[in-house]
Amino acid sequence: DSGVTQTPKHLITATGQRVTLRCSPRSGDLSVYWYQQSLDQGLQFLIQYYNGEERAKGNILERFSAQQFPDLHSELNLSSLELGDSALYFCASSAGTGQPQHFGDGTRLSIL
Amino acid sequence: GIQVEQSPPDLILQEGANSTLRCNFSDSVNNLQWFHQNPWGQLINLFYIPSGTKQNGRLSATTVATERYSLLYISSSQTTDSGVYFCAPNNAGNMLTFGGGTRLMVKP
């Protein structure tokens, strides 16, 4: 058990819809990271938050957004969903920049 | 950005065999992690190893940062070792860049 909690585990929705993925980091970790794992792109970094502020951005689409709340949990919002957004979305947390990242079990998103 | 290549892409072993997985990266790194993705999709931390050698049971890892590679050794493999092994260096302070992975199947 990594200590990182992601909900829901599975999500099935239709094209054009909007979903929210939730992540609770390990106790004491201030950094939260989001990654996407798809068949064609592999595992890629989306975005990082540190103590409520956006710290780094990767290959995140404009249709996607994230935030980190005062209690340090984070949400990833995906809108105007397309078939290609079907993927496994991971959240990771660490104590700080450059520290080991610990991954949650992921949310498997299926777009029909 | 940094390029990460893992080899071999696929590996089939008989239970009890040993193996070495390699990870080459194109730029200097601050740190590097190895992960095992099990058949249920979970990403399990194996090592945080910016340089040097670490051991954990039947697994060990070595990173030679100056030569831009890392190795993961699996000894006396077991069927539960099956899955995909990822190397992920961190050279920008914040993001891990994952290689394509090595898919390992251990046969009983």
Side-chain angles (χ1 to χ4, degrees), chain A residues 14-106:
Chain A
T15 55
Q17 296 299 305
R18 173 189 171 94
V19 296
T20 298
L21 313 183
R22 182 187 170 101
C23 169
S24 294
R26 293 189 322 160
S27 177
D29 283 357
L30 298 178
S31 276
V32 170
Y33 310 78
W34 287 96
Y35 292 83
Q36 179 196 57
Q37 185 176 29
S38 62
L39 284 177
D40 54 345
Q41 299 286 335
L43 257 165
Q44 57 177 359
F45 168 75
L46 296 178
I47 197 164
Q48 180 210 1
Y49 280 82
Y50 179 83
N51 203 19
E53 294 187 3
E54 182 183 306
R55 190 56 75 89
K57 223 169 186 177
N59 298 324
I60 187 167
L61 299 172
E62 286 191 8
R63 299 183 285 109
F64 296 0
S65 65
Q67 54 183 332
Q68 186 179 27
F69 295 86
D71 67 352
L72 300 179
H73 91 272
S74 178
E75 293 181 356
L76 179 67
N77 301 296
L78 315 177
S79 62
S80 302
L81 288 168
E82 302 175 358
L83 293 176
D85 297 328
S86 295
L88 189 51
Y89 291 85
F90 287 104
C91 170
S93 74
S94 71
T97 300
Q99 297 300 307
Q101 294 182 27
H102 301 268
F103 281 70
D105 289 348

Side-chain angles (χ1 to χ4, degrees), chain B residues 86-107:
Chain B
F86 290 103
C87 156
N90 178 335
N91 79 327
N94 300 322
M95 59 184 248
L96 296 177
T97 300
F98 284 80
T102 292
R103 187 174 300 273
L104 173 65
M105 180 185 297
V106 180
K107 294 186 171 182

Side-chain angles (χ1 to χ4, degrees), chain B residues 27-94:
Chain B
D27 204 348
S28 58
V29 299
N30 298 324
N31 56 68
L32 184 145
Q33 290 184 247
W34 280 96
F35 296 91
H36 173 217
Q37 188 166 36
N38 64 24
W40 296 271
Q42 295 172 314
L43 271 174
I44 311 300
N45 261 325
L46 296 178
F47 293 100
Y48 171 79
I49 183 165
S51 63
T53 298
K54 289 186 178 179
Q55 180 147 11
N56 185 0
R58 297 181 294 103
L59 302 183
S60 65
T62 295
T63 296
V64 184
T66 53
E67 297 188 19
R68 301 181 183 172
Y69 73 89
S70 184
L71 303 173
L72 178 68
Y73 306 94
I74 305 175
S75 64
S76 304
S77 58
Q78 300 176 356
T79 56
T80 52
D81 295 332
S82 296
V84 184
Y85 290 80
F86 290 103
C87 156
N90 178 335
N91 79 327
N94 300 322

